[in-house]
Amino acid sequence: MTATETRTPPARAHGPGGRAGRRAGWARGVRLALLAAFLVIFLIPVYVLLVTSFKPLTEADPSRAWALPEVWTAQPWRVAWDKLAPGIWNSVLLAVPGALISAVLGSMNGYVLSKWRFPGADVLFTLFLFGMFIPYQGVMIPLVQLLVKLNEITQSVTGASGVFYGAIPGLLLAHVVYGIPICTLIFRNYYVTIPDELIEASRVDGAGMLRTYWSVVLPVSGPAFAVVIIWQFTSMWNDFLFAVFLTGPQSWPTTVMLNNIAGAQTVPYSQQMAAALLASIPTMIVYVLLGRFFMRGLMAGALKG
Amino acid sequence: MTRVRRWLPGLLLVTPSIIAIAVFVYGMLGWNFRLAMTDRHDEISEGSFVGLENFVTLWDQKRWGISVNHAVVFTVVFVFGALALGWLLAFLMEKGIKGEGTFRAVYLFPMAISFVATGVVWRWLMNSGQDERAVGLNRLFDSLGLDFLQWEWFRNPDWGMAAMAIPAIWQMSGYVMALFLAGFRGVPEDLREAARVDGCTEWQVYRHIVLPLLRPVTLSALIILGHISLKVFDLIVAVSGKQIITDVPAVFMWVAVFDSHDPAKGATIAAYIVLAVSVFVIPYLVWTLRKERRP
């Protein structure tokens, strides 16, 4: 390699005043400038949403589209709240219990698949993972048919109509079941880090599977629970496909209601954008307060534990 | 016997999930494929088995060809766009930079928001009105004197789907950045230092040490982006509604089920989406399983 003789030593070997040091400083400046430019580009939609959502009707004019409102008003927000509130409540009824049930199921599966393994556990786990990637369109029509059947069964047994299809429990069921793969993956990857010796010691002491789970594994599961709950809450809150196929007007969650509001041609921009912001507040709070856990959920989705 | 006693309780504990996955994932995929092979073209008849007829006749429909075309354009632009931008952002941040936490948080936040909510603003940003009727980005270009950048965005019949990929890139490139950043930081510093001592330039260190080690991350990102792309639905509905100009298979399926009331056709489209995703997800999962079994 002839380049060896002429190569420049690493930049860090020079003092800050050296030529290489100056070049490194210049490179850092360029990097910072590029990152800042992308920051601005990424925030453009947020600027538009915020600015427009505070504009009165009279200012919803193309020529002033990018300007700040001359008169600030919360009116669009009030209208958006009135229209969206039932959907928000439906979303809460869906996403809060849904996330909790998902976490419990994922925790039990993850425990067994990492610490109480049975023959074929790896293959089973891979079969689970495929469920994470399936396009939900592929199960949509049968799912509707199954929920309709469940409606008929519950009606003939309890007399209550429309319990599953067209209602929150059906949507909840779908989200929990199709959330099993990712929840299992997150917990399994987390529990792998618990030393096997700990489980072994508990076994030697005569504790069974559930006992070990309850007194050894569960007490250290906090972070994994946080990741799964945030992850499932966000995906249930943001989901549109299941909601639009499985719910009726009484049980529409936020996304479906928002889409209906935004789809109407006569609704002013300012109200649509206020509604879009309103619909995003819960997930944004989760992201801002618990971004670290949100991030871990994302990384788990990439199969990298 | 004692060995069975050792693992049986575990198996019992996951049995409910096994049943759920068996029924809801594999059972329903099978059910959908069976429905796709019948002539149940309305909601009253039972339908009888017709084999792969629906899979063949679908290609006679102009709309199906258009939607497949759109999906391909969207996938190519979205996957490479998000991969390139995510990689660039991670590369710029790799060595640590002032305010890194803020940059990361901003690049990543679009992921926390639903496509339906961001669709509201992107539909406005990508409004096709131009010059004095311009709103959104066209208005911005107009006032910056960059008129030549104005175009009809997703209403362009040829490249509209490339415009539709822009919000998707906005939403997902932060995720790719996070993956690559973890990948970059996972490269041990001693490895880089050793290469430098051996006389490698920074570029050679990058080319021969860092890039090869990023390959698994790139593959993961590719699979995740690809499968999101092929089933994309809410973004399209939120930005443009159910217009043919932005039709993709997932939207076409919705139209077939809800508007044309044709379950067999809807199931056929759904089956094609499943097949398209499976073609690269299944090899990936098999590869992951093998890798995990290796000690």
PDB file of all heavy atoms in Angstrom, chain B residues 253-283:
ATOM      1  N   MET B 253     -58.509  -2.511  -2.560  1.00  0.00           N
ATOM      2  CA  MET B 253     -59.172  -3.571  -1.810  1.00  0.00           C
ATOM      3  C   MET B 253     -60.352  -3.012  -1.015  1.00  0.00           C
ATOM      4  O   MET B 253     -61.429  -3.586  -0.983  1.00  0.00           O
ATOM      5  CB  MET B 253     -58.179  -4.237  -0.858  1.00  0.00           C
ATOM      6  CG  MET B 253     -58.778  -5.402  -0.105  1.00  0.00           C
ATOM      7  SD  MET B 253     -58.173  -5.471   1.582  1.00  0.00           S
ATOM      8  CE  MET B 253     -59.362  -6.558   2.334  1.00  0.00           C
ATOM      9  N   TRP B 254     -60.119  -1.864  -0.391  1.00  0.00           N
ATOM     10  CA  TRP B 254     -61.194  -1.228   0.375  1.00  0.00           C
ATOM     11  C   TRP B 254     -62.392  -0.930  -0.543  1.00  0.00           C
ATOM     12  O   TRP B 254     -63.544  -1.204  -0.204  1.00  0.00           O
ATOM     13  CB  TRP B 254     -60.669   0.066   1.010  1.00  0.00           C
ATOM     14  CG  TRP B 254     -61.661   0.733   1.915  1.00  0.00           C
ATOM     15  CD1 TRP B 254     -62.778   0.169   2.463  1.00  0.00           C
ATOM     16  CD2 TRP B 254     -61.624   2.093   2.371  1.00  0.00           C
ATOM     17  NE1 TRP B 254     -63.426   1.091   3.248  1.00  0.00           N
ATOM     18  CE2 TRP B 254     -62.737   2.275   3.204  1.00  0.00           C
ATOM     19  CE3 TRP B 254     -60.753   3.152   2.161  1.00  0.00           C
ATOM     20  CZ2 TRP B 254     -63.017   3.495   3.817  1.00  0.00           C
ATOM     21  CZ3 TRP B 254     -61.032   4.357   2.776  1.00  0.00           C
ATOM     22  CH2 TRP B 254     -62.139   4.526   3.594  1.00  0.00           C
ATOM     23  N   VAL B 255     -62.084  -0.393  -1.715  1.00  0.00           N
ATOM     24  CA  VAL B 255     -63.143  -0.078  -2.675  1.00  0.00           C
ATOM     25  C   VAL B 255     -63.888  -1.350  -3.069  1.00  0.00           C
ATOM     26  O   VAL B 255     -65.120  -1.369  -3.123  1.00  0.00           O
ATOM     27  CB  VAL B 255     -62.542   0.625  -3.916  1.00  0.00           C
ATOM     28  CG1 VAL B 255     -63.591   0.809  -5.000  1.00  0.00           C
ATOM     29  CG2 VAL B 255     -61.944   1.969  -3.523  1.00  0.00           C
ATOM     30  N   ALA B 256     -63.138  -2.436  -3.305  1.00  0.00           N
ATOM     31  CA  ALA B 256     -63.770  -3.686  -3.723  1.00  0.00           C
ATOM     32  C   ALA B 256     -64.691  -4.226  -2.634  1.00  0.00           C
ATOM     33  O   ALA B 256     -65.772  -4.733  -2.909  1.00  0.00           O
ATOM     34  CB  ALA B 256     -62.696  -4.719  -4.064  1.00  0.00           C
ATOM     35  N   VAL B 257     -64.273  -4.100  -1.371  1.00  0.00           N
ATOM     36  CA  VAL B 257     -65.065  -4.664  -0.274  1.00  0.00           C
ATOM     37  C   VAL B 257     -66.259  -3.771   0.061  1.00  0.00           C
ATOM     38  O   VAL B 257     -67.387  -4.244   0.166  1.00  0.00           O
ATOM     39  CB  VAL B 257     -64.187  -4.868   0.978  1.00  0.00           C
ATOM     40  CG1 VAL B 257     -65.033  -5.323   2.159  1.00  0.00           C
ATOM     41  CG2 VAL B 257     -63.105  -5.887   0.691  1.00  0.00           C
ATOM     42  N   PHE B 258     -66.007  -2.460   0.211  1.00  0.00           N
ATOM     43  CA  PHE B 258     -67.059  -1.570   0.710  1.00  0.00           C
ATOM     44  C   PHE B 258     -67.921  -0.959  -0.383  1.00  0.00           C
ATOM     45  O   PHE B 258     -69.116  -0.808  -0.214  1.00  0.00           O
ATOM     46  CB  PHE B 258     -66.440  -0.432   1.528  1.00  0.00           C
ATOM     47  CG  PHE B 258     -66.020  -0.864   2.885  1.00  0.00           C
ATOM     48  CD1 PHE B 258     -64.786  -0.500   3.391  1.00  0.00           C
ATOM     49  CD2 PHE B 258     -66.857  -1.633   3.670  1.00  0.00           C
ATOM     50  CE1 PHE B 258     -64.390  -0.896   4.650  1.00  0.00           C
ATOM     51  CE2 PHE B 258     -66.476  -2.041   4.930  1.00  0.00           C
ATOM     52  CZ  PHE B 258     -65.246  -1.668   5.425  1.00  0.00           C
ATOM     53  N   ASP B 259     -67.299  -0.574  -1.508  1.00  0.00           N
ATOM     54  CA  ASP B 259     -68.068   0.127  -2.529  1.00  0.00           C
ATOM     55  C   ASP B 259     -68.643  -0.823  -3.571  1.00  0.00           C
ATOM     56  O   ASP B 259     -69.784  -0.678  -3.988  1.00  0.00           O
ATOM     57  CB  ASP B 259     -67.199   1.208  -3.204  1.00  0.00           C
ATOM     58  CG  ASP B 259     -66.665   2.208  -2.179  1.00  0.00           C
ATOM     59  OD1 ASP B 259     -67.189   2.203  -1.041  1.00  0.00           O
ATOM     60  OD2 ASP B 259     -65.739   2.968  -2.495  1.00  0.00           O
ATOM     61  N   SER B 260     -67.860  -1.832  -3.995  1.00  0.00           N
ATOM     62  CA  SER B 260     -68.397  -2.767  -4.994  1.00  0.00           C
ATOM     63  C   SER B 260     -68.986  -4.016  -4.352  1.00  0.00           C
ATOM     64  O   SER B 260     -69.534  -4.847  -5.041  1.00  0.00           O
ATOM     65  CB  SER B 260     -67.315  -3.183  -6.000  1.00  0.00           C
ATOM     66  OG  SER B 260     -66.251  -2.297  -6.042  1.00  0.00           O
ATOM     67  N   HIS B 261     -68.857  -4.170  -3.045  1.00  0.00           N
ATOM     68  CA  HIS B 261     -69.397  -5.338  -2.330  1.00  0.00           C
ATOM     69  C   HIS B 261     -69.032  -6.638  -3.028  1.00  0.00           C
ATOM     70  O   HIS B 261     -69.899  -7.428  -3.379  1.00  0.00           O
ATOM     71  CB  HIS B 261     -70.900  -5.207  -2.161  1.00  0.00           C
ATOM     72  CG  HIS B 261     -71.284  -3.988  -1.375  1.00  0.00           C
ATOM     73  ND1 HIS B 261     -71.160  -3.919  -0.012  1.00  0.00           N
ATOM     74  CD2 HIS B 261     -71.735  -2.783  -1.779  1.00  0.00           C
ATOM     75  CE1 HIS B 261     -71.541  -2.716   0.397  1.00  0.00           C
ATOM     76  NE2 HIS B 261     -71.887  -2.000  -0.638  1.00  0.00           N
ATOM     77  N   ASP B 262     -67.742  -6.821  -3.248  1.00  0.00           N
ATOM     78  CA  ASP B 262     -67.254  -8.009  -3.933  1.00  0.00           C
ATOM     79  C   ASP B 262     -66.189  -8.694  -3.069  1.00  0.00           C
ATOM     80  O   ASP B 262     -65.003  -8.429  -3.213  1.00  0.00           O
ATOM     81  CB  ASP B 262     -66.671  -7.589  -5.297  1.00  0.00           C
ATOM     82  CG  ASP B 262     -66.286  -8.783  -6.154  1.00  0.00           C
ATOM     83  OD1 ASP B 262     -66.105  -9.887  -5.589  1.00  0.00           O
ATOM     84  OD2 ASP B 262     -66.153  -8.603  -7.370  1.00  0.00           O
ATOM     85  N   PRO B 263     -66.619  -9.575  -2.139  1.00  0.00           N
ATOM     86  CA  PRO B 263     -65.652 -10.177  -1.205  1.00  0.00           C
ATOM     87  C   PRO B 263     -64.546 -10.958  -1.908  1.00  0.00           C
ATOM     88  O   PRO B 263     -63.379 -10.851  -1.513  1.00  0.00           O
ATOM     89  CB  PRO B 263     -66.511 -11.124  -0.358  1.00  0.00           C
ATOM     90  CG  PRO B 263     -67.904 -10.673  -0.538  1.00  0.00           C
ATOM     91  CD  PRO B 263     -67.991 -10.035  -1.887  1.00  0.00           C
ATOM     92  N   ALA B 264     -64.885 -11.712  -2.946  1.00  0.00           N
ATOM     93  CA  ALA B 264     -63.870 -12.536  -3.596  1.00  0.00           C
ATOM     94  C   ALA B 264     -62.779 -11.656  -4.203  1.00  0.00           C
ATOM     95  O   ALA B 264     -61.589 -11.974  -4.130  1.00  0.00           O
ATOM     96  CB  ALA B 264     -64.508 -13.414  -4.664  1.00  0.00           C
ATOM     97  N   LYS B 265     -63.181 -10.551  -4.804  1.00  0.00           N
ATOM     98  CA  LYS B 265     -62.199  -9.653  -5.401  1.00  0.00           C
ATOM     99  C   LYS B 265     -61.330  -9.004  -4.325  1.00  0.00           C
ATOM    100  O   LYS B 265     -60.102  -8.953  -4.456  1.00  0.00           O
ATOM    101  CB  LYS B 265     -62.922  -8.575  -6.209  1.00  0.00           C
ATOM    102  CG  LYS B 265     -62.014  -7.724  -7.054  1.00  0.00           C
ATOM    103  CD  LYS B 265     -62.861  -6.952  -8.051  1.00  0.00           C
ATOM    104  CE  LYS B 265     -62.332  -5.563  -8.280  1.00  0.00           C
ATOM    105  NZ  LYS B 265     -63.318  -4.731  -8.978  1.00  0.00           N
ATOM    106  N   GLY B 266     -61.981  -8.546  -3.248  1.00  0.00           N
ATOM    107  CA  GLY B 266     -61.222  -7.954  -2.145  1.00  0.00           C
ATOM    108  C   GLY B 266     -60.207  -8.945  -1.591  1.00  0.00           C
ATOM    109  O   GLY B 266     -59.053  -8.596  -1.352  1.00  0.00           O
ATOM    110  N   ALA B 267     -60.649 -10.185  -1.438  1.00  0.00           N
ATOM    111  CA  ALA B 267     -59.755 -11.218  -0.892  1.00  0.00           C
ATOM    112  C   ALA B 267     -58.599 -11.489  -1.840  1.00  0.00           C
ATOM    113  O   ALA B 267     -57.470 -11.742  -1.407  1.00  0.00           O
ATOM    114  CB  ALA B 267     -60.545 -12.501  -0.636  1.00  0.00           C
ATOM    115  N   THR B 268     -58.868 -11.427  -3.144  1.00  0.00           N
ATOM    116  CA  THR B 268     -57.803 -11.665  -4.123  1.00  0.00           C
ATOM    117  C   THR B 268     -56.740 -10.573  -4.035  1.00  0.00           C
ATOM    118  O   THR B 268     -55.534 -10.855  -4.023  1.00  0.00           O
ATOM    119  CB  THR B 268     -58.392 -11.709  -5.553  1.00  0.00           C
ATOM    120  OG1 THR B 268     -59.481 -12.616  -5.570  1.00  0.00           O
ATOM    121  CG2 THR B 268     -57.340 -12.139  -6.550  1.00  0.00           C
ATOM    122  N   ILE B 269     -57.193  -9.322  -3.965  1.00  0.00           N
ATOM    123  CA  ILE B 269     -56.239  -8.212  -3.840  1.00  0.00           C
ATOM    124  C   ILE B 269     -55.430  -8.362  -2.559  1.00  0.00           C
ATOM    125  O   ILE B 269     -54.202  -8.235  -2.554  1.00  0.00           O
ATOM    126  CB  ILE B 269     -56.980  -6.857  -3.859  1.00  0.00           C
ATOM    127  CG1 ILE B 269     -57.743  -6.686  -5.175  1.00  0.00           C
ATOM    128  CG2 ILE B 269     -56.004  -5.707  -3.657  1.00  0.00           C
ATOM    129  CD1 ILE B 269     -58.705  -5.521  -5.188  1.00  0.00           C
ATOM    130  N   ALA B 270     -56.141  -8.686  -1.463  1.00  0.00           N
ATOM    131  CA  ALA B 270     -55.459  -8.870  -0.174  1.00  0.00           C
ATOM    132  C   ALA B 270     -54.419  -9.980  -0.276  1.00  0.00           C
ATOM    133  O   ALA B 270     -53.308  -9.859   0.241  1.00  0.00           O
ATOM    134  CB  ALA B 270     -56.481  -9.186   0.906  1.00  0.00           C
ATOM    135  N   ALA B 271     -54.790 -11.065  -0.977  1.00  0.00           N
ATOM    136  CA  ALA B 271     -53.861 -12.191  -1.117  1.00  0.00           C
ATOM    137  C   ALA B 271     -52.600 -11.761  -1.862  1.00  0.00           C
ATOM    138  O   ALA B 271     -51.492 -12.158  -1.505  1.00  0.00           O
ATOM    139  CB  ALA B 271     -54.548 -13.339  -1.855  1.00  0.00           C
ATOM    140  N   TYR B 272     -52.772 -10.935  -2.887  1.00  0.00           N
ATOM    141  CA  TYR B 272     -51.600 -10.443  -3.622  1.00  0.00           C
ATOM    142  C   TYR B 272     -50.711  -9.591  -2.720  1.00  0.00           C
ATOM    143  O   TYR B 272     -49.481  -9.673  -2.795  1.00  0.00           O
ATOM    144  CB  TYR B 272     -52.039  -9.622  -4.845  1.00  0.00           C
ATOM    145  CG  TYR B 272     -52.151 -10.450  -6.106  1.00  0.00           C
ATOM    146  CD1 TYR B 272     -53.329 -10.491  -6.836  1.00  0.00           C
ATOM    147  CD2 TYR B 272     -51.059 -11.185  -6.569  1.00  0.00           C
ATOM    148  CE1 TYR B 272     -53.440 -11.238  -8.006  1.00  0.00           C
ATOM    149  CE2 TYR B 272     -51.161 -11.937  -7.731  1.00  0.00           C
ATOM    150  CZ  TYR B 272     -52.347 -11.963  -8.441  1.00  0.00           C
ATOM    151  OH  TYR B 272     -52.442 -12.718  -9.582  1.00  0.00           O
ATOM    152  N   ILE B 273     -51.322  -8.773  -1.863  1.00  0.00           N
ATOM    153  CA  ILE B 273     -50.507  -7.950  -0.950  1.00  0.00           C
ATOM    154  C   ILE B 273     -49.715  -8.859  -0.008  1.00  0.00           C
ATOM    155  O   ILE B 273     -48.522  -8.667   0.224  1.00  0.00           O
ATOM    156  CB  ILE B 273     -51.389  -6.964  -0.143  1.00  0.00           C
ATOM    157  CG1 ILE B 273     -52.165  -6.036  -1.078  1.00  0.00           C
ATOM    158  CG2 ILE B 273     -50.528  -6.140   0.819  1.00  0.00           C
ATOM    159  CD1 ILE B 273     -53.159  -5.119  -0.375  1.00  0.00           C
ATOM    160  N   VAL B 274     -50.398  -9.898   0.522  1.00  0.00           N
ATOM    161  CA  VAL B 274     -49.720 -10.840   1.426  1.00  0.00           C
ATOM    162  C   VAL B 274     -48.557 -11.515   0.715  1.00  0.00           C
ATOM    163  O   VAL B 274     -47.451 -11.620   1.254  1.00  0.00           O
ATOM    164  CB  VAL B 274     -50.716 -11.895   1.954  1.00  0.00           C
ATOM    165  CG1 VAL B 274     -49.984 -12.968   2.743  1.00  0.00           C
ATOM    166  CG2 VAL B 274     -51.775 -11.232   2.816  1.00  0.00           C
ATOM    167  N   LEU B 275     -48.799 -11.953  -0.523  1.00  0.00           N
ATOM    168  CA  LEU B 275     -47.738 -12.630  -1.272  1.00  0.00           C
ATOM    169  C   LEU B 275     -46.556 -11.693  -1.497  1.00  0.00           C
ATOM    170  O   LEU B 275     -45.402 -12.086  -1.309  1.00  0.00           O
ATOM    171  CB  LEU B 275     -48.276 -13.127  -2.619  1.00  0.00           C
ATOM    172  CG  LEU B 275     -49.205 -14.339  -2.545  1.00  0.00           C
ATOM    173  CD1 LEU B 275     -49.808 -14.648  -3.911  1.00  0.00           C
ATOM    174  CD2 LEU B 275     -48.454 -15.557  -2.012  1.00  0.00           C
ATOM    175  N   ALA B 276     -46.844 -10.449  -1.863  1.00  0.00           N
ATOM    176  CA  ALA B 276     -45.766  -9.497  -2.142  1.00  0.00           C
ATOM    177  C   ALA B 276     -44.908  -9.285  -0.898  1.00  0.00           C
ATOM    178  O   ALA B 276     -43.679  -9.254  -0.962  1.00  0.00           O
ATOM    179  CB  ALA B 276     -46.348  -8.169  -2.618  1.00  0.00           C
ATOM    180  N   VAL B 277     -45.559  -9.154   0.271  1.00  0.00           N
ATOM    181  CA  VAL B 277     -44.810  -8.938   1.505  1.00  0.00           C
ATOM    182  C   VAL B 277     -44.029 -10.205   1.885  1.00  0.00           C
ATOM    183  O   VAL B 277     -42.865 -10.141   2.273  1.00  0.00           O
ATOM    184  CB  VAL B 277     -45.761  -8.508   2.645  1.00  0.00           C
ATOM    185  CG1 VAL B 277     -45.057  -8.571   3.985  1.00  0.00           C
ATOM    186  CG2 VAL B 277     -46.289  -7.104   2.391  1.00  0.00           C
ATOM    187  N   SER B 278     -44.687 -11.362   1.729  1.00  0.00           N
ATOM    188  CA  SER B 278     -44.055 -12.626   2.137  1.00  0.00           C
ATOM    189  C   SER B 278     -42.782 -12.911   1.366  1.00  0.00           C
ATOM    190  O   SER B 278     -41.844 -13.495   1.909  1.00  0.00           O
ATOM    191  CB  SER B 278     -45.021 -13.802   1.934  1.00  0.00           C
ATOM    192  OG  SER B 278     -46.213 -13.549   2.621  1.00  0.00           O
ATOM    193  N   VAL B 279     -42.760 -12.501   0.106  1.00  0.00           N
ATOM    194  CA  VAL B 279     -41.620 -12.831  -0.750  1.00  0.00           C
ATOM    195  C   VAL B 279     -40.306 -12.391  -0.112  1.00  0.00           C
ATOM    196  O   VAL B 279     -39.308 -13.092  -0.200  1.00  0.00           O
ATOM    197  CB  VAL B 279     -41.796 -12.194  -2.148  1.00  0.00           C
ATOM    198  CG1 VAL B 279     -40.473 -12.125  -2.897  1.00  0.00           C
ATOM    199  CG2 VAL B 279     -42.820 -12.967  -2.941  1.00  0.00           C
ATOM    200  N   PHE B 280     -40.311 -11.239   0.568  1.00  0.00           N
ATOM    201  CA  PHE B 280     -39.031 -10.907   1.192  1.00  0.00           C
ATOM    202  C   PHE B 280     -39.018 -10.985   2.706  1.00  0.00           C
ATOM    203  O   PHE B 280     -37.948 -11.036   3.300  1.00  0.00           O
ATOM    204  CB  PHE B 280     -38.481  -9.563   0.683  1.00  0.00           C
ATOM    205  CG  PHE B 280     -39.382  -8.397   0.857  1.00  0.00           C
ATOM    206  CD1 PHE B 280     -39.187  -7.534   1.907  1.00  0.00           C
ATOM    207  CD2 PHE B 280     -40.403  -8.147  -0.056  1.00  0.00           C
ATOM    208  CE1 PHE B 280     -39.990  -6.441   2.054  1.00  0.00           C
ATOM    209  CE2 PHE B 280     -41.219  -7.039   0.102  1.00  0.00           C
ATOM    210  CZ  PHE B 280     -41.004  -6.193   1.166  1.00  0.00           C
ATOM    211  N   VAL B 281     -40.188 -11.069   3.344  1.00  0.00           N
ATOM    212  CA  VAL B 281     -40.176 -11.188   4.804  1.00  0.00           C
ATOM    213  C   VAL B 281     -39.824 -12.616   5.238  1.00  0.00           C
ATOM    214  O   VAL B 281     -39.069 -12.816   6.184  1.00  0.00           O
ATOM    215  CB  VAL B 281     -41.530 -10.751   5.404  1.00  0.00           C
ATOM    216  CG1 VAL B 281     -41.638 -11.204   6.846  1.00  0.00           C
ATOM    217  CG2 VAL B 281     -41.668  -9.237   5.321  1.00  0.00           C
ATOM    218  N   ILE B 282     -40.355 -13.613   4.535  1.00  0.00           N
ATOM    219  CA  ILE B 282     -40.109 -15.001   4.950  1.00  0.00           C
ATOM    220  C   ILE B 282     -38.617 -15.362   4.871  1.00  0.00           C
ATOM    221  O   ILE B 282     -38.061 -15.871   5.857  1.00  0.00           O
ATOM    222  CB  ILE B 282     -40.996 -15.992   4.155  1.00  0.00           C
ATOM    223  CG1 ILE B 282     -42.452 -15.807   4.607  1.00  0.00           C
ATOM    224  CG2 ILE B 282     -40.549 -17.436   4.381  1.00  0.00           C
ATOM    225  CD1 ILE B 282     -43.453 -16.670   3.880  1.00  0.00           C
ATOM    226  N   PRO B 283     -37.934 -15.062   3.741  1.00  0.00           N
ATOM    227  CA  PRO B 283     -36.484 -15.346   3.735  1.00  0.00           C
ATOM    228  C   PRO B 283     -35.757 -14.633   4.873  1.00  0.00           C
ATOM    229  O   PRO B 283     -34.853 -15.192   5.491  1.00  0.00           O
ATOM    230  CB  PRO B 283     -36.020 -14.802   2.373  1.00  0.00           C
ATOM    231  CG  PRO B 283     -37.228 -14.759   1.537  1.00  0.00           C
ATOM    232  CD  PRO B 283     -38.387 -14.539   2.446  1.00  0.00           C
TER     233      PRO B 283
END
